[in-house]
Amino acid sequence: MKMASNNLMFRSDDEALNQGFEWAKGQALAYAHDGSDPVGLWYEGALPGREAFCMRDISHQSMGASVLGLQAHTRNMMQRFAENISRGKDYCTYWEITGDNEPAPVDYENDEDFWYNLPANFDVIEACYRQYLWTGDRSYLEDPVLQNFYRLSVTEYVKTWDKDGDGIPEYYPSYGRRGLASYNEAGDYPKIGADLVAVMIAGYQAYAELEKKLGNKELYAEYSAKSAHLRQQLEQQWWDKEGGCFFVALGHDGGFLAAESGEGQFLPLYYEAIADREKREGALREMHKQGVSNVEGMSYLPETYYRCGEDGEGLRSLKALMDPALDRREYPEVSYSAVGAVVSELMGISADGGNAVTTVSRLTEEVSWAEISEVSVLGRTVSVKHTGRTSTAFTSLSGEALVWRAVFYKAVEAPVQLHHNGEVIESASAYDKLGRPYAYAEIAVAPGETHIVSIA
């Protein structure tokens, strides 16, 4: 059976954006099931009509699902992926699982013959860490089944598929459909895709952070170092000096493949795997140039542009994703990623896994105000309203008291004052991942309270 609707609501002075969000919310909830199927709580994350969920799609859809109050659905599906990892499948799990709690027959024949993209294990780890931050659910840290999946993925899984011992799994044509070293499924399968390296960078760092939360400092240091080493490899070995962008794959002849549309083009940016500013900008230019040809890839673009500081392009690609004229708009990943991008990127809402929620407006001149209400985060329900980039109202609707971290972008050297409910408040300054300066203040918010912070 399908789920009922919830109370999440978005409003702004852009009617196309409002209507697009309402469509995305309704479409996403239409794919959510109530737990009466053998697999338990789940939502669809595969081709419409397949009645299944796959590792890549669910990892990407999980943010939008959490915003919609489907945290328990995501948690159950992650458990299903984790519990099916096995030595017999070379430490893979089931790529795609049906509502009947079986591997999807289109992708799985037996343990020697099944479809599998090697970035998937790392994608699930990274998604589980993001789910912990958003929900505060400590089972993402402590559940023994998930812990086993994390541990096997960063150890035995890599050892098994990394035949040449360079630390990166690779694909060989003799594998058939088993062990593809990229998410890009078009054309000939490469030995290694740039997207695999990017997802490993994110996955190793996520595993490090999960272990850090448990007090395991040595594992944190080890896997943070692995992540940093792969980032260095990506930025140095995979950089195409002549093209001013990254290569997207390594061929079986040992040569790198030049830029083209596909996952190797945009996923390193989506996973924030590129730290070097000049090279990140080169990758962005190439992404603009190449574009994305399918709706699955398009579903990553709003988050990717926002994470790279291109807020105008983020809004444009978000509205394109919601456009009724978009071909295959009904693909589940589209609606879930649109909802997630509105909340986490446009409205800039994030959480720390404990009791703090951060907001930062990424509105452009095209949208002068926007409000999202009944957002489910950290076991609470909150509402956020941005007026431009200079004023934010935050309301705690239910749940325990929390800390609101109100963030505002500012000019590099400009001294600023923040006002809380009309009075000057003590604030601080810092820089984000892209090197942009911002001012912030931290406000204690009790249930039922509304607070307003503005920048002067």
Side-chain angles (χ1 to χ4, degrees):
M1 292 179 62
K2 299 298 178 70
M3 294 284 294
S5 62
N6 74 358
N7 296 321
L8 182 72
M9 184 177 293
F10 175 82
R11 294 174 296 275
S12 73
D13 60 346
D14 186 322
E15 193 54 35
L17 193 58
N18 298 342
Q19 292 178 11
F21 185 87
E22 278 305 303
W23 163 81
K25 170 190 166 181
Q27 180 71 85
L29 288 172
Y31 285 126
H33 295 257
D34 66 359
S36 59
D37 298 307
V39 79
L41 290 169
W42 69 290
Y43 48 85
E44 295 176 42
L47 288 170
R50 190 173 281 186
E51 295 287 313
F53 54 93
C54 86
M55 298 175 76
R56 177 185 178 177
D57 291 32
I58 297 309
S59 295
H60 186 208
Q61 292 174 212
S62 58
M63 180 66 217
S66 287
V67 168
L68 289 164
L70 303 176
Q71 296 99 326
H73 292 63
T74 300
R75 179 65 185 82
N76 179 59
M77 289 185 289
M78 294 305 186
Q79 189 83 6
R80 298 304 184 189
F81 292 135
E83 69 189 13
N84 284 297
I85 192 172
S86 70
R87 182 177 180 181
K89 295 192 291 292
D90 287 333
Y91 301 99
C92 298
T93 178
Y94 295 135
W95 167 254
E96 191 170 354
I97 299 173
T98 70
D100 290 327
N101 200 23
E102 300 287 344
V106 69
D107 288 326
Y108 178 88
E109 185 67 31
N110 54 55
D111 279 4
E112 284 71 48
D113 180 14
F114 59 90
W115 180 280
Y116 210 79
N117 301 72
L118 293 177
N121 285 41
F122 293 94
D123 214 355
V124 166
I125 294 171
E126 200 266 346
C128 285
Y129 177 58
R130 285 188 286 109
Q131 284 296 293
Y132 162 70
L133 292 177
W134 186 265
T135 66
D137 181 355
R138 289 190 62 85
S139 73
Y140 280 107
L141 308 178
E142 299 165 349
D143 182 88
V145 174
L146 288 180
Q147 274 282 326
N148 181 61
F149 177 85
Y150 304 154
R151 179 182 56 81
L152 290 177
S153 294
V154 300
T155 56
E156 300 305 318
Y157 179 69
V158 175
K159 292 176 188 175
T160 300
W161 292 96
D162 175 25
K163 301 301 184 187
D164 61 10
D166 68 350
I168 303 172
E170 61 275 342
Y171 170 80
Y172 296 97
S174 61
Y175 291 175
R177 60 178 183 169
R178 194 174 182 271
L180 308 181
S182 172
Y183 274 148
N184 191 347
E185 299 167 359
D188 296 329
Y189 302 138
K191 185 176 181 181
I192 300 173
D195 58 308
L196 171 59
V197 183
V199 181
M200 289 182 71
I201 291 168
Y204 273 145
Q205 191 60 49
Y207 179 66
E209 299 294 342
L210 288 163
E211 291 297 331
K212 183 181 181 182
K213 297 291 183 183
L214 293 170
N216 297 327
K217 296 180 181 179
E218 290 184 4
L219 285 174
Y220 170 76
E222 177 183 354
Y223 285 94
S224 287
K226 283 180 179 285
S227 177
H229 175 69
L230 283 179
R231 191 189 308 274
Q232 184 181 48
Q233 281 188 275
L234 180 68
E235 292 189 341
Q236 295 180 0
Q237 298 176 17
W238 289 70
W239 180 248
D240 178 1
K241 290 183 180 180
E242 286 190 19
C245 59
F246 285 91
F247 294 111
V248 297
L250 179 68
H252 292 282
D253 62 357
F256 285 104
L257 304 179
E260 60 184 19
S261 176
E263 280 73 3
Q265 189 62 255
F266 61 84
L267 285 184
L269 293 168
Y270 169 82
Y271 286 103
E272 300 175 289
I274 305 166
D276 184 283
R277 179 177 178 178
E278 180 182 342
K279 292 178 179 178
R280 184 173 61 245
E281 290 175 351
L284 264 173
R285 284 194 300 271
E286 193 64 26
M287 191 173 84
H288 280 294
K289 176 182 173 183
Q290 296 287 349
V292 175
S293 59
N294 58 56
V295 77
E296 294 93 332
M298 286 180 65
S299 72
Y300 287 85
L301 294 185
E303 295 150 297
T304 301
Y305 281 125
Y306 278 116
R307 291 173 188 181
C308 292
E310 294 203 358
D311 297 343
E313 282 298 310
L315 178 63
R316 183 197 61 76
S317 58
L318 178 59
K319 293 173 74 171
L321 207 58
M322 298 169 166
D323 190 332
L326 177 66
D327 187 38
R328 297 180 64 230
R329 187 175 72 146
E330 72 279 3
Y331 194 87
E333 200 169 7
V334 174
S335 53
Y336 279 93
S337 61
V339 170
V342 166
V343 175
S344 66
E345 306 299 340
L346 176 68
M347 300 299 290
I349 304 173
S350 61
D352 70 347
N355 73 333
V357 175
T358 297
T359 65
V360 57
S361 172
R362 297 195 179 98
L363 301 185
T364 60
E365 292 181 359
E366 190 175 339
V367 182
S368 63
W369 67 270
E371 180 178 12
I372 188 86
S373 59
E374 301 280 350
V375 178
S376 177
V377 58
L378 293 179
R380 287 101 163 158
T381 307
V382 304
S383 294
V384 175
K385 181 177 182 180
H386 295 308
T387 303
R389 295 191 180 216
T390 60
S391 179
T392 300
F394 184 95
T395 303
S396 173
L397 299 170
S398 69
E400 298 179 5
L402 55 79
V403 174
W404 170 35
R405 195 169 193 256
V407 171
F408 297 87
Y409 291 122
K410 68 184 186 74
V412 177
E413 300 298 333
V416 299
Q417 278 189 335
L418 295 186
H419 291 79
H420 172 227
N421 294 342
E423 302 291 333
V424 175
I425 187 176
E426 182 178 346
S427 62
S429 295
Y431 291 85
D432 69 9
K433 290 180 180 179
L434 300 179
R436 295 177 296 183
Y438 64 86
Y440 69 94
E442 295 184 343
I443 312 292
V445 183
E449 292 183 349
T450 294
H451 294 257
I452 299 174
V453 175
S454 57
I455 188 169

